[in-house]
Amino acid sequence: MKKTLSIRTTTVIAVFFILVFASALTLFGFFALAALNYVGISKIHHPPYLIMLFCVSSVIGTLISVPLTRYFISPIKEIAKALDKVKAGNFTVRVAEEQRSAELSALAKGFNGMVEELGSTEFFRKDFISNFSHEFKTPIASIRGFAKELINEDLSKEQRQEYLQIIAYESERLSNMASNVLLLTNLEHTHKLPAGKPFSLDEQLRRCILLLERQWSYKELELDLELEEICYTGDEEMLSHIWVNLLSNGIKFSPMGGTLRVRLRRVKDKVEVSVTDMGPGIPADKIDKIFDRFYQADVSHKAEGNGLGLTLCKRIAELAEGSISVKSELGKGTRFTVSLPIK
Amino acid sequence: MFNIMVVDDNANTGRLMKAVLTRAGYNVFVAGDGNEALSLMDTKHTDLIVLDVMMPGMDGFEFAELLRSTGVNIPIIMVTAKDTPADKRKGFIAGTDDYMVKPVDEEEMLLRIAALLRRAKIVNEKRLTVGSTVFDYEALSVTQNGLTETLPQKEFMLIYKLLSSPGKIHTRRQLMDELWDMESETDERTVDVHINRLRDRFRDNGDFSIVTVRGLGYKAVCGGER
């Protein structure tokens, strides 16, 4: 590995050598001329000669430094050119990270990192917008279409009811989707959650569970709760989105009268929250995709969700410097586990 | 028959609210802004206000503040698109009793309105009746089977709170925070102790019972319900 020196060290050494070399060359020239008897050696004591020697030395030194500055400037020029390309929208450009000096290497690394980050956001945007338009246009097309149909007078009562149900359903879905998308987009531009205040994590989980009481009591679910008393410091509101989403999903996929297990415990320097349902489970070939935007693994429940809930959970968990994982067995159930660091 | 006033500058929203609330059995009138609302209140008795926040002229926060500052304690539920915690806080500080973010689930809104009206009635009358048992807020007393007895304050507040929203689950922390004013000596076990005392006291009362919801908290249920 090439050992890179600091620019300052290199400059000092370069200046030193320029000065030494220039003076050496000048003196050599003078002695050479003296040896060839063009000039008397004693003349070196004369001021005009000294001044002349000084000028010659300066000129030589300057001439030597010209190629040397190119040595320093060329990598910077290269980065400037790359920047122009990025400005024009090219996010694939990179600069060599092995540079002659430590500072330039750091600059190159930083530049490459920045372009990569920009590139990934851009990709999300394009991909996202096309997915998003499709996900929105579809229910809107239904709503518009059926609404127009309803203007007709010759529909049967059953048809009318059916079309109206569809409109109500799709509108509900759209409205949920809009809220999620808004939240997700806001989080897209966030890199870290605000420091937050200390609060009781177990109490927060209880409140989230209570929030969904109507849903779980409608399904006559049995709640199996084991919540350790844990005081956590973080963004309370953002975390509540994770819990409500996971609990909602758990309830949605639970069979009538099933059991929903919620565990909160501290494991060394982390807290773990797990939500387990006794639902149909997620097939192995789909389990990697469930955190993708707009992805819904279960077609039968497709109408009730919008595919963004888990994406949101993952994003928030990551912003809280934690992680989310899933374990599922077909026919048995699914467990989502969120792991967050705690001091 | 309760009178509900809906204050919203969007005509369609007002129309929708009126339709939903009328179907639920309320008498509804709509105001397009704060000033119209105030004039309507002069002529019509209002039991509850459904209040939008983003309105021209006087916004919902100002309207609520104005009402509260003049001593009007009619329950208010804010229904608005403003959804940040800061907005919610502002709403509650301005004096709203509940806060819902648009788009609202109509069923949930009706449940909340019913709860607000029930609580307002209890607060107004300062008594709570469950079957043949009557709780008197001023006297901290309960009358059952023709006998009246007073309860220690904390016990009374606890059962009063639980019975004000029958069927609603309260966590120990919620009960503690509301009734014990964050005094440092109490902890959640204290709630358990008081609940047990209440159960002892009302063991033979068939009008209601206190149910433990494992892992969550307590709720009061009426009659023989579970």
Side-chain angles (χ1 to χ4, degrees):
Chain A
M1 196 182 83
K2 243 178 23 173
K3 196 152 170 262
T4 45
L5 288 167
S6 148
I7 280 187
R8 292 177 69 193
T9 321
T10 322
T11 316
V12 169
I13 295 175
V15 168
F16 174 75
F17 274 111
I18 291 175
L19 290 174
V20 162
F21 202 64
S23 326
L25 212 56
T26 313
L27 283 174
F28 179 76
F30 179 76
F31 285 127
L33 289 174
L36 296 170
N37 284 317
Y38 282 118
V39 126
I41 271 203
S42 55
K43 293 278 176 131
I44 202 166
H45 298 289
H46 288 214
Y49 266 98
L50 283 174
I51 292 173
M52 195 179 67
L53 286 177
F54 169 74
C55 293
V56 169
S57 181
S58 308
V59 169
I60 294 179
T62 311
L63 287 173
I64 297 175
S65 63
V66 167
L68 237 50
T69 51
R70 200 171 299 165
Y71 175 87
F72 290 118
I73 299 300
S74 69
I76 296 182
K77 268 196 174 157
E78 200 190 309
I79 291 183
K81 263 202 281 203
L83 273 172
D84 273 337
K85 287 206 189 118
V86 173
K87 216 167 59 165
N90 180 350
F91 296 111
T92 58
V93 64
R94 300 283 188 274
V95 289
E97 286 183 14
E98 287 266 312
Q99 295 280 345
R100 296 166 191 147
S101 65
E103 288 93 339
L104 285 175
S105 288
L107 182 61
K109 271 209 187 82
F111 176 82
N112 286 342
M114 174 189 80
V115 181
E116 196 170 324
E117 187 65 31
L118 283 174
S120 70
T121 319
E122 170 75 8
F123 172 75
F124 269 147
R125 247 191 316 138
K126 282 209 183 103
D127 194 40
F128 178 64
I129 289 181
S130 75
N131 263 348
F132 181 84
S133 324
H134 175 263
E135 294 294 329
F136 259 68
K137 280 188 180 162
T138 314
I140 288 182
S142 275
I143 294 170
R144 191 177 77 155
F146 283 112
K148 284 188 175 168
E149 271 293 303
L150 282 164
I151 296 175
N152 290 324
E153 306 225 319
D154 57 359
L155 295 172
S156 72
K157 193 159 170 244
E158 290 77 33
Q159 277 175 317
R160 233 172 241 295
Q161 275 295 102
E162 190 195 341
Y163 295 176
L164 288 168
Q165 295 268 47
I166 293 173
I167 291 178
Y169 220 24
E170 297 286 3
S171 312
E172 185 79 44
R173 266 191 69 212
L174 253 190
S175 137
N176 285 334
M177 204 191 308
S179 310
N180 272 350
V181 166
L182 214 55
L183 194 50
L184 208 51
T185 315
N186 277 339
L187 292 177
E188 205 54 44
H189 298 292
T190 314
H191 291 283
K192 221 170 76 154
L193 291 180
K197 300 198 199 82
F199 62 92
S200 164
L201 198 51
D202 52 300
E203 185 67 10
Q204 183 185 46
L205 279 168
R206 267 183 220 109
R207 306 267 173 118
C208 291
I209 293 171
L210 286 186
L211 213 64
L212 299 168
E213 199 211 331
R214 215 158 33 105
Q215 286 91 303
W216 52 259
S217 53
Y218 170 77
K219 276 199 143 168
E220 297 177 10
L221 297 183
E222 193 183 304
L223 296 180
D224 177 7
L225 311 174
E226 261 177 43
L227 311 171
E228 275 178 27
E229 248 184 77
I230 293 180
C231 183
Y232 178 83
T233 302
D235 190 329
E236 196 169 350
E237 205 200 334
M238 280 297 142
L239 282 191
S240 71
H241 285 293
I242 304 183
W243 316 140
V244 172
N245 258 299
L246 292 182
L247 290 165
S248 258
N249 277 349
I251 295 171
K252 181 164 106 181
F253 288 100
S254 278
M256 281 289 284
T259 306
L260 190 66
R261 251 178 63 143
V262 183
R263 292 277 177 280
L264 165 64
R265 56 188 189 143
R266 186 174 181 143
V267 182
K268 291 196 218 157
D269 62 341
K270 291 203 181 4
V271 280
E272 257 182 34
V273 177
S274 69
V275 177
T276 313
D277 66 66
M278 288 164 46
I282 307 170
D285 60 340
K286 298 201 177 148
I287 208 162
D288 291 322
K289 304 205 208 121
I290 53 167
F291 292 106
D292 291 353
R293 288 173 201 255
F294 300 121
Y295 185 82
Q296 285 169 278
D298 188 335
V299 190
S300 64
H301 279 97
K302 213 170 164 47
E304 288 166 49
N306 48 55
L308 289 175
L310 287 175
T311 313
L312 202 58
C313 290
K314 183 158 182 254
R315 183 85 185 121
I316 297 176
E318 283 167 0
L319 284 174
E321 295 172 357
S323 63
I324 183 169
S325 63
V326 58
K327 258 207 171 88
S328 183
E329 208 179 314
L330 279 177
K332 284 260 182 76
T334 311
R335 171 180 313 142
F336 281 93
T337 309
V338 177
S339 177
L340 300 169
I342 190 172
K343 281 163 211 92
Chain B
M1 176 73 124
F2 289 109
N3 280 359
I4 296 187
M5 176 168 69
V6 174
V7 188
D8 199 311
D9 63 323
N10 182 302
N12 281 336
T13 310
R15 214 171 286 157
L16 181 61
M17 289 287 177
K18 182 166 180 167
V20 171
L21 292 169
T22 309
R23 173 179 294 282
Y26 299 110
N27 191 23
V28 187
F29 38 94
V30 182
D33 63 44
N35 290 317
E36 199 186 327
L38 290 170
S39 9
L40 273 179
M41 281 173 74
D42 280 340
T43 58
K44 293 185 197 262
H45 169 75
T46 311
D47 292 300
L48 185 141
I49 302 174
V50 176
L51 183 59
D52 180 28
V53 169
M54 298 209 268
M55 294 187 291
M58 201 191 318
D59 73 20
F61 298 130
E62 288 164 7
F63 182 78
E65 269 167 19
L66 182 60
L67 280 189
R68 295 303 183 229
S69 67
T70 54
V72 175
N73 284 322
I74 299 174
I76 297 176
I77 175 167
M78 277 184 182
V79 176
T80 169
K82 283 175 155 279
D83 62 353
T84 69
D87 294 318
K88 284 195 189 117
R89 251 176 265 137
K90 200 171 169 196
F92 282 109
I93 291 175
T96 192
D97 294 285
D98 207 342
Y99 196 103
M100 288 188 83
V101 174
K102 279 183 196 165
V104 294
D105 176 5
E106 287 84 25
E107 207 184 315
E108 190 184 339
M109 182 181 74
L110 289 174
L111 289 171
R112 284 175 187 254
I113 287 178
L116 281 175
L117 287 168
R118 180 178 51 233
R119 262 189 274 146
K121 180 160 177 269
I122 290 170
V123 166
N124 283 339
E125 296 177 7
K126 300 247 181 357
R127 56 198 349 222
L128 204 170
T129 310
V130 187
S132 59
T133 311
V134 182
F135 289 85
D136 186 326
Y137 194 85
E138 306 260 87
L140 294 182
S141 73
V142 57
T143 307
Q144 50 178 345
N145 299 329
L147 292 166
T148 305
E149 57 180 322
T150 40
L151 264 54
Q153 194 198 29
K154 291 285 190 277
E155 268 183 52
F156 184 89
M157 300 297 225
L158 187 51
I159 190 65
Y160 201 82
K161 176 153 182 67
L162 288 174
L163 282 171
S164 297
S165 318
K168 180 173 170 206
I169 303 173
H170 297 78
T171 66
R172 285 175 183 77
R173 179 68 72 81
Q174 281 173 326
L175 294 171
M176 222 172 73
D177 286 347
E178 281 217 31
L179 303 175
W180 271 268
D181 260 349
M182 329 275 191
E183 282 159 31
S184 54
E185 300 312 314
T186 46
D187 73 7
E188 295 175 2
R189 313 290 152 249
T190 316
V191 177
D192 295 339
V193 167
H194 279 81
I195 292 281
N196 284 331
R197 286 198 200 133
L198 282 167
R199 279 183 170 146
D200 272 341
R201 198 184 282 275
F202 294 107
R203 204 178 325 135
D204 300 320
N205 189 313
D207 292 322
F208 66 88
S209 57
I210 302 173
V211 174
T212 306
V213 183
R214 234 166 50 93
L216 284 177
Y218 295 106
K219 64 177 177 179
V221 289
C222 296
E225 297 169 34
R226 260 249 86 279

